[in-house]
Amino acid sequence: MRLLALAALALLQAAAPLAAQAPRLLPAPREIVRAEPPARFRAPITVDAGSNADDHWAAHEFVETMRSRGHVASVAPNGGWHVTLLRADTDAGRRALSAERLTIDRAMHDEGYALVTSADGATVIAQNAAGIFYGLQTLKQLITGAPSAAVLHRVAIRDWPAMRWRGMQDDLSRGPMPTLEYQKKQVRTIAAYKLNTFTLYFEHTLQFASQPVIAPPGGSMSRADVAELVAYARRYHVTIIPQQQTFGHLHH
C-alpha cells in the first residue's frame, strides 16, 4: 500500500507543473497536449485566412473581438504576431500537423480543431469552417489582460465536442420581448463558448399573417425578424430551433 501511495504521489508531483501552467478555458478542451509558462504579449495581431470565404469571415470576427479589447489587429498575410488558419486536408495543414506531432482524427472532422500558440504566433488547423471558428474562439481566451500588460498562454491543444448538440433556450413569451439586436448578442455569446443551438420558445409572440390577433404589435417576432436571426446565427455555426406551442384556445 505504501508503495502505491508513493507512486501516486510521484505521478501527482510530475503532473503538477503542467496543471499549474495550463490555462482555464471554457469549455475545457479535450486535450492540452503541451503547456508552457505564460509570456508577456505586446505585438500587433495579423491573421492569414487563406482563400476560404468562411475562414475569412471567422478571421474578421476574431479581429473585431481583439480590437474591442484594445489590441491592434488586422486580417493580413504577414507581420506582427501572426495567426494562420489552415484546413487539415491541405498540404500546408498536413505539414503543420506533422511539425507539431498532432493529428485531426475522425471524431474531430465536424467541429474539432488543433491549435498551437507560441511567442511568434498561432496556428489553427481544422477540417472545416466550424473547426476553424471554434479554434479562434479558444485563441481569444489564450490572450488575457489589458493590452499594456497582456499575457499569452503558450499551448498545443486538440479539441472536439463531447455532444453533437449544445445549446440554450430563451422563453420569448414571458417578460419583455428582446430586441433583434439583443438576440444577435445572445448568438455571439453562446457561439464564443461553442454552443451550437439556440432554441426560442413561443406562445403568443410569433407573428402569423393568417392569424394577426395572436401576436401583440411591437412585442413579437415577424417573419423578417426570424429570417434575419437565422441567417445571422448560421455564420456563427448556431442553429435556431423554434418551439411553437399550439394551444387549443386563444383567449383566457
Side-chain angles (χ1 to χ4, degrees), residues 170-173 177-181 183-184 186 198-202 204-209 214-230 240 242 244:
D170 195 5
D171 186 338
L172 302 188
S173 290
M177 183 71 182
T179 64
L180 187 58
E181 289 308 307
Q183 289 177 296
K184 289 179 179 179
Q186 289 177 292
F198 186 29
T199 178
L200 306 179
Y201 173 92
F202 296 98
H204 65 293
T205 50
L206 187 61
Q207 296 176 23
F208 292 88
I214 291 177
S220 56
M221 289 191 75
S222 68
R223 177 184 290 267
D225 292 336
V226 170
E228 185 173 341
L229 184 64
V230 168
I240 303 295
Q244 175 60 66

Side-chain angles (χ1 to χ4, degrees), residues 3-56:
L3 285 174
L4 287 173
L6 289 172
L9 179 61
L11 286 172
L12 286 172
Q13 290 173 337
L18 181 59
Q21 295 161 9
R24 295 183 178 181
L25 301 171
L26 293 176
R30 289 293 194 98
E31 297 176 3
I32 298 183
V33 181
R34 183 177 70 254
E36 300 173 13
R40 292 293 296 272
F41 179 83
R42 293 184 180 277
I45 302 167
T46 63
V47 184
D48 182 359
S51 59
N52 185 280
D54 289 330
D55 296 352
H56 265 274

